[in-house]
Amino acid sequence: MSLTLPPKYDAVELAALEDPYPVYRRLRAAGPLCRGGPAQWVVTRYADVAGLVGDDRLGAEFDRDYHRIALGDGPLADFFGRVMLNRDPPAHTVLRRLLGREFTTPAVRRRRERIDAMVAELLAPAVREGRFDAVTDLADKLPIRVLAEFVGLDLADIDEVRPRARTLSQAFATYLAEPERAETVEALVWMRELVAGLFEAERKGPGEDLISRLREVDPATADRRTLIDNVVFLLFAGFATTTDLLSNGCAALAARPDQLAILRADTGVVPRAVEELLRFDAPVQVKSRLVHRPVEIGGRVVKPGRVLVLQLGSANHDETRFARPAELDVTRHPNPHLSFGGGGIHQCLGAALARAEAVSAFTFVARRFTAMEPGGQAVRRHTPNFRSYLSVPLRVTPS
C-alpha cells in the first residue's frame, strides 16, 4: 500500500511570512513529516521532535560534501566542518569541555551584577526620552558586550564585530544562496583574523577570560585553527540568538500590555516569562540532523544518509503539548519548549547566559516602565530558519 505524499516544506517561503505559525499548524495536521530539500524530511510535531533531538541514531556531523553544496567550496564549508555545533563525539565532547567553563550557570551567576549594570546603562536614554528601539538600542548591544568580557575581546572592537557576526548568521540557514556567499565569506575571514590576533596578542598575565585559557590548550587536544573557529562560532551564536530573543520578546510584550502588567506586578515571574518568550517566537526555528540508523516516523522509515530537519518553532506551538499555544502566557508552567535544543549533548552551550541577559533586560523593563507600546512599524529580518527583527521602535512611560 502506498503512502500519501507529505506536504512540501519551503524554508525560504516561510521566512517571508510575518507569522509562519498558522502554516506550521496546517503542516502538523497533515502529518508528522514534510518533504524538505533533496534527501530531507522535516519533522513538525512536538512528540517526534522532542524524542529525536537527543537520539543517538542521528548525528550533527555532516561530511564536507554536504557543507560544500549548502555553502560553496571555500572557507565557509571548512569553518562549518570545525565548529562544535556540527561535531559528534569524541570531538564534540572535547570542544564542549574546553569552551563550556565560562558558560555554566554558576559562572553566569557571578556576572549577573555586571549584566544588570550593562542593561541599566543601555536603557538609561529610554528612561529619559520615553522611547527606544529594542534592536539598535538594546538587543544589538547587550549580548556582544557581555560576550566580549567572557571571551576576552576588546570593547573597542565590538562595533566592528557586531555587523560581521550578523552577516555570518546567514550561513547557518539550511542553504546559502550564491549572492550572499561572498559577503559571508568576507565576514568569516575578518572574524578569524580578529580572533587569531587575540590568541597572538601579548598579555600582562594570566586572565580569567576564555582566550586566556584556550591559549594554554595542548595542540594534541585541539589545534589552534579549530579553537579559533569555535571562538568565532561563539561570537556569532551568543550574539545573534540572544539578540533575537531580546528583540522578539520586546515586540511580543509591547503588543500585549496585559502580559507586561503581570511582570510589573511581580518581577519574580520574569524567569517564567523568558521561557514563554523563547517558546512563543523561538529565535532558532530548526535543527538539522544526519540519519545514521533507520528512524520510523508516522509509519515512514527514514533511511541512513537522509537529513532530518527538526522544526523547533512548530513543535513549540503544538496544541497537543501546549494549551493555547498561539497565546503568550508569561505565567505558563511547566514550559518544556525546545528552543535551546531540547536536551542531549547538543543542548545550547550559552543557554544560561542568554537566560540571564533576558531576565535582566525584562526585569528592568518591568520595574522602570509603567507602559511599553509600539512606537512605529517593526521591521522583520526575513532569514530562513531564524526569527528576528531589524527594528522594533517602542514608546515607553518611565515609572
Side-chain angles (χ1 to χ4, degrees), residues 26-319:
R26 292 195 293 272
L27 293 175
R28 288 194 304 273
L33 285 175
C34 300
R35 290 173 293 142
Q40 286 185 346
W41 291 100
V42 182
V43 187
T44 58
R45 294 176 177 175
Y46 182 93
D48 296 316
V49 174
L52 289 167
V53 287
D55 195 314
D56 63 7
R57 292 173 297 175
L58 311 180
E61 196 163 319
F62 294 77
D63 62 35
R64 185 170 173 80
D65 285 341
Y66 178 89
H67 294 303
R68 275 201 291 259
I69 291 170
L71 303 167
D73 188 8
L76 289 173
D78 177 60
F79 170 73
F80 273 78
R82 283 198 179 89
V83 298
M84 180 175 59
L85 179 73
N86 297 326
R87 303 300 300 274
D88 288 330
H92 175 272
T93 307
V94 171
L95 290 169
R96 193 172 181 100
R97 185 179 69 248
L98 291 174
L99 299 169
R101 187 183 304 174
E102 278 75 17
F103 298 93
T104 63
T105 299
V108 171
R109 190 179 297 121
R110 288 193 294 271
R111 295 175 183 258
R112 180 59 191 272
E113 287 188 10
R114 179 66 181 137
I115 294 172
D116 288 345
M118 290 183 187
V119 170
E121 179 185 349
L122 290 171
L123 289 179
V127 174
R128 294 192 303 268
E129 300 166 13
R131 59 183 174 82
F132 73 104
D133 190 297
V135 178
T136 57
D137 295 326
L138 174 64
D140 258 1
K141 293 181 177 178
L142 177 64
I144 197 67
R145 289 190 183 191
V146 173
L147 275 172
E149 294 192 357
F150 268 65
V151 170
L153 177 67
D154 192 329
L155 288 175
D157 292 325
I158 61 175
D159 285 338
E160 293 188 82
V161 171
R162 185 167 51 240
R164 284 158 171 116
R166 178 58 76 180
T167 299
L168 185 57
S169 72
Q170 297 177 147
F172 285 78
T174 307
Y175 176 80
L176 184 63
E178 193 68 40
E180 284 82 38
R181 289 182 184 178
E183 64 176 359
T184 309
V185 167
E186 183 181 350
L188 171 61
V189 170
W190 187 92
M191 290 186 69
R192 274 177 163 173
E193 291 176 354
L194 173 71
V195 174
L198 295 177
F199 274 92
E200 299 302 326
E202 291 188 13
R203 305 213 166 188
K204 294 179 180 178
E208 297 298 321
D209 57 79
L210 179 63
I211 295 292
S212 293
R213 277 203 309 104
L214 294 181
R215 282 160 57 102
E216 308 305 318
V217 170
D218 187 336
T221 302
D223 63 85
R224 180 62 58 86
R225 196 170 179 185
T226 296
L227 295 177
I228 288 170
D229 277 356
N230 277 276
V231 172
V232 169
F233 166 69
L234 287 178
L235 287 173
F236 151 74
F239 161 69
T241 53
T242 309
T243 291
D244 297 340
L245 166 59
L246 294 172
S247 55
N248 292 357
C250 283
L253 289 173
R256 298 163 182 81
D258 61 316
Q259 297 299 296
L260 183 57
I262 294 172
L263 303 186
R264 291 193 63 248
D266 180 9
T267 55
V269 178
V270 170
R272 286 189 184 182
V274 169
E275 301 307 311
E276 174 67 348
L277 293 167
L278 282 161
R279 180 203 69 82
F280 184 71
D281 203 16
V284 179
Q285 294 276 297
V286 305
K287 176 177 285 193
S288 296
R289 290 290 178 262
L290 183 65
V291 178
H292 292 313
R293 301 197 304 277
V295 177
E296 183 177 342
I297 305 170
R300 190 180 296 271
V301 176
V302 181
K303 300 176 182 179
R306 302 295 192 266
V307 175
L308 282 180
V309 179
L310 308 180
Q311 228 302 341
L312 309 178
S314 175
N316 284 342
H317 279 245
D318 191 330
E319 45 284 297

